[in-house]
Amino acid sequence: MGICHGKPIEQQSKNTLQVSSEIDEATPTNSQPVKSSGFPFYSPSPLPSLFKSSPAISSSTSVSSTPLRIFKRPFPPPSPAKHIRAFLARRNGSNKRNEVSIPEGKECEIGLDKSFGFSKQFGSHYEIDGEVGRGHFGYTCSAKGKKGSLKGQEVAVKVIPKSKMTTAIAIEDVSREVKILRALTGHPNLVQFYDAFEDDESVYIVMELCKGGELLDKILQRGGKYSEDDAKKVMVQILSVVAYCHLQGVVHRDLKPENFLFTTKDETSPLKAIDFGLSDYVKPDERLNDIVGSAYYVAPEVLHRTYGTEADMWSIGVIAYILLCGSRPFWARTESGIFRAVLKAEPNFEEAPWPSLSPDAVDFVKRLLNKDYRKRLTAAQALCHPWLVGSHELKIPTDMIIYKLVKVYIMSTALRKSALAALAKTLTVPQLAYLREQFTLLGPSKNGYISMQNYKTAILKSATDATKDSRVLDFVHMISCIQYKKLDFEEFCASALSVYQLEALETWEQHARRAYELFEKDGNRPIMIEELASELGLGPSVPVHVVLQDWIRHSDGKLSFLGFVRLLHGVSSRTLQKA
């Protein structure tokens, strides 16, 4: 819900990171005061400064018709900011002054059920001491337990007034936040949830009190950035809790330095993720489409309204960029400009301190800030990245991406499986180390094989109520029911590698060329265009001779290198459009 836990009120207006603009944005020049809409993404429009005064209103000129208006520069491209503000208005029930909202179905406040079924005995269990932070939809207080297991213990209480819950969506957000916290609590890098209460006025979420301050505060105290070694310690903790959330089917959707707190002021204090007010469940084979988050950390696909857990990894990439260099990768004077930068601009890795940082550190950040979400590292993969290997002793968690990839692999043709097998043989030792970790987590037999049932068993070991609510268990059950032979480690690698992630590497060309050489020896064969079209499942409406003519060598009728690479990616509407 955008609330900042444990942040003293007097620090609310502190300076943010000082950075230089990457996009030249026009600033408003209106003499009229700008009214804030009250939305998190609100920014004044830059358009008024783009127009010259019309001669039609000049006191010294009289014309019978309005002359052609001249613009200083063309209109900027449409900004997603307008749509984001409109969405947030509908979600949170906010309206501009003098505007009347039009009730849309269950979004009308009249008749909303604001009863959550929580205990109504908050006052008898806790005594509130004072406010320590305030957000868009509520505030956070410190409190002390009056009885029970928390008697005498200081806690944090997030107070959400029911008067702020003016839509059914807002009510659902609060209910889901409590469910997610209750299900996920217990991870060492996630704020401990104790209980939830309510009365006629508010909802009270009781959690552990973190006194060490925000990660953002710590960055500022260190002069704006961390050393590589210290940044590694922070990233490992962030990735650990995010990998845990993603495995349970929970996407945070508002990861930023302000939403990570240190439990104490000690230098070795653990870091805790907070504020799951914007979090949601996401099934591995589905996408979310509502636009939420914070402008500087929002992923491109969120602005395109189709995203999953990969959006969190982009946000972690932004945090890593800030930790290592002290500036934001995407910046502009307005939210509209920030969104355009996120969609179009590339992060700067040329200026100091990037040239002095290790190549592994630069590669780590680049692989998180890839605008193509399919090429981005997952949290489990990031923990296995060479930059972090050796800096932690965490047990790498099961990665849901291997479930999605194996499903696609099993449904692939024999020709594509042969191509993937060739590509798997080109993987390096570090790349194989991650896959070996995942294979081991699936619990192979003594003979070194896994069945589809192993995929379900592995998830059940770490399942929570969130795994059920997110329908991750349904997805895993579907995979476990697929009739397919047992996999050894070699075929598992072919099934679990991501072609898109490999394509993001600088060494992709070598991988692809070497794999094609292996494919030529073991898997390539003469094939007719019609046979290839049939194997790829292309319908009669597809002009196969046009689409697939470059896939086959004219000399011997075998798959060409271009056809091999496209086969690795699989056939989709996007593939056909590019062909």
Side-chain angles (χ1 to χ4, degrees):
M1 301 293 290
I3 294 178
C4 177
H5 295 247
K7 183 175 181 179
I9 301 171
E10 60 269 21
Q11 293 183 7
Q12 290 288 325
S13 60
K14 68 177 175 230
N15 293 332
T16 55
L17 299 175
Q18 299 299 312
V19 293
S20 59
S21 174
E22 292 181 2
I23 289 187
D24 182 21
E25 286 292 311
T27 54
T29 57
N30 271 2
S31 59
Q32 298 295 326
V34 179
K35 296 180 180 179
S36 171
S37 69
F39 303 141
F41 289 110
Y42 177 78
S43 64
S45 169
L47 286 178
S49 65
L50 304 184
F51 303 97
K52 290 183 178 179
S53 298
S54 171
I57 60 174
S58 172
S59 59
S60 60
T61 306
S62 177
V63 291
S64 58
S65 62
T66 303
L68 178 67
R69 291 180 178 175
I70 306 298
F71 301 109
K72 289 185 179 179
R73 61 176 181 172
F75 281 113
S79 167
K82 176 181 177 182
H83 305 290
I84 290 173
R85 289 197 293 271
F87 173 83
L88 289 173
R90 293 194 303 273
R91 185 183 189 93
N92 303 319
S94 303
N95 295 289
K96 292 182 180 179
R97 189 182 303 175
N98 299 327
E99 283 189 1
V100 179
S101 64
I102 300 175
E104 297 182 13
K106 65 177 182 178
E107 291 194 356
C108 177
E109 184 175 4
I110 299 175
L112 286 178
D113 182 5
K114 298 183 181 181
S115 176
F116 294 86
F118 303 150
S119 169
K120 296 187 177 182
Q121 304 300 316
F122 175 78
S124 64
H125 284 78
Y126 299 95
E127 182 177 351
I128 289 181
D129 293 332
E131 186 176 317
V132 295
R134 182 167 287 270
H136 291 293
F137 309 110
Y139 54 95
T140 303
C141 298
S142 62
K144 189 169 291 186
K146 295 165 68 174
K147 61 181 181 180
S149 60
L150 296 176
K151 182 178 180 180
Q153 182 174 328
E154 286 188 293
V155 296
V157 179
K158 182 174 181 177
V159 183
I160 308 172
K162 290 186 176 181
S163 60
K164 297 278 189 178
M165 305 175 199
T166 57
T167 69
I169 294 176
I171 295 171
E172 182 184 348
D173 286 346
V174 175
S175 176
R176 186 172 57 246
E177 178 179 8
V178 173
K179 287 183 70 176
I180 288 175
L181 283 171
R182 195 187 301 274
L184 299 185
T185 195
H187 189 280
N189 298 115
L190 193 149
V191 65
Q192 180 77 24
F193 169 84
Y194 294 130
D195 209 343
F197 298 84
E198 68 173 314
D199 56 27
D200 293 339
E201 304 297 326
S202 302
V203 168
Y204 307 89
I205 304 176
V206 184
M207 298 165 285
E208 71 173 304
L209 180 63
C210 298
K211 297 183 177 181
E214 299 174 359
L215 174 59
L216 179 61
D217 295 326
K218 194 75 72 173
I219 296 172
L220 294 171
Q221 290 170 12
R222 289 170 174 251
K225 62 181 179 180
Y226 271 54
S227 67
E228 274 197 53
D229 286 341
D230 289 341
K232 288 178 185 179
K233 296 174 185 176
V234 170
M235 291 311 303
V236 165
Q237 295 181 79
I238 292 176
L239 290 168
S240 176
V241 66
V242 171
Y244 174 68
C245 292
H246 289 179
L247 182 60
Q248 306 299 325
V250 172
V251 55
H252 188 282
R253 302 203 296 184
D254 198 22
L255 295 175
K256 54 186 177 181
E258 298 93 314
N259 280 341
F260 287 94
L261 299 181
F262 291 95
T263 54
T264 69
K265 295 187 180 297
D266 189 82
E267 283 296 319
T268 59
S269 168
L271 197 61
K272 302 270 186 169
I274 64 166
D275 202 346
F276 283 74
L278 292 178
S279 300
D280 205 349
Y281 301 112
V282 58
K283 192 179 177 185
D285 58 348
E286 292 181 354
R287 311 291 287 171
L288 300 175
N289 58 26
D290 47 339
I291 302 177
V292 297
S294 299
Y296 288 114
Y297 305 90
V298 70
E301 65 269 23
V302 174
L303 300 177
H304 289 305
R305 301 179 71 101
T306 172
Y307 62 95
T309 55
E310 304 89 357
D312 278 349
M313 300 312 299
W314 173 277
S315 302
I316 293 175
V318 176
I319 295 173
Y321 189 99
I322 293 172
L323 283 173
L324 289 169
C325 79
S327 63
R328 302 182 182 101
F330 307 100
W331 192 88
R333 294 187 182 95
T334 66
E335 269 89 357
S336 301
I338 296 168
F339 297 142
R340 281 195 288 271
V342 167
L343 291 170
K344 301 294 183 182
E346 293 298 329
N348 187 334
F349 290 99
E350 306 302 322
E351 297 180 0
W354 292 106
S356 64
L357 298 181
S358 68
D360 282 341
V362 177
D363 180 72
F364 177 83
V365 179
K366 284 184 175 180
R367 294 184 69 184
L368 292 176
L369 290 181
N370 196 309
K371 293 189 190 298
D372 187 340
Y373 69 87
R374 299 169 300 180
K375 298 180 179 180
R376 230 170 275 156
L377 293 174
T378 66
Q381 289 170 342
L383 285 169
C384 293
H385 189 276
W387 186 56
L388 295 181
V389 169
S391 64
H392 67 88
E393 298 180 355
L394 288 179
K395 180 181 178 182
I396 304 300
T398 301
D399 198 344
M400 189 51 63
I401 194 174
I402 68 168
Y403 287 72
K404 294 189 282 187
L405 290 170
V406 76
K407 177 189 173 187
V408 175
Y409 174 84
I410 291 173
M411 297 173 65
S412 297
T413 65
L415 192 63
R416 182 169 186 267
K417 287 174 183 172
S418 179
L420 288 169
L423 184 61
K425 292 176 181 177
T426 72
L427 296 178
T428 63
V429 172
Q431 291 163 345
L432 287 171
Y434 158 77
L435 291 173
R436 174 62 72 180
E437 291 268 10
Q438 295 301 313
F439 187 73
T440 302
L441 287 170
L442 291 173
S445 65
K446 293 181 180 179
N447 296 328
Y449 286 87
I450 57 171
S451 67
M452 294 300 103
Q453 187 62 36
N454 286 79
Y455 285 85
K456 183 176 182 179
T457 304
I459 288 294
L460 290 176
K461 290 179 181 178
S462 57
T464 67
D465 287 342
T467 323
K468 180 180 179 181
D469 292 333
S470 63
R471 294 185 295 150
V472 164
L473 286 181
D474 294 343
F475 179 77
V476 172
H477 178 71
M478 178 268 295
I479 290 177
S480 69
C481 292
I482 296 175
Q483 297 297 316
Y484 193 71
K485 64 179 182 178
K486 293 183 178 181
L487 304 177
D488 59 11
F489 180 64
E490 184 175 340
E491 187 172 6
F492 170 78
C493 290
S495 73
L497 66 82
S498 167
V499 177
Y500 288 102
Q501 289 178 342
L502 280 177
E503 193 179 32
L505 301 178
E506 293 181 357
T507 56
W508 164 243
E509 182 75 16
Q510 294 95 298
H511 278 290
R513 291 288 178 186
R514 176 59 182 151
Y516 184 61
E517 292 174 4
L518 296 171
F519 181 71
E520 281 276 71
K521 295 178 181 178
D522 302 326
N524 209 352
R525 61 180 175 82
I527 186 169
M528 300 290 290
I529 284 184
E530 291 79 8
E531 182 186 354
L532 179 59
S534 175
E535 185 158 341
L536 296 174
L538 301 183
S541 61
V542 178
V544 293
H545 284 274
V546 176
V547 171
L548 302 178
Q549 61 177 340
D550 294 332
W551 289 45
I552 297 177
R553 286 196 302 248
H554 298 296
S555 58
D556 57 8
K558 292 184 178 181
L559 213 60
S560 67
F561 176 68
L562 177 64
F564 171 77
V565 172
R566 287 178 174 169
L567 182 66
L568 286 172
H569 286 91
V571 175
S572 65
S573 57
R574 179 179 295 187
T575 306
L576 296 179
Q577 289 169 5
K578 289 184 177 180

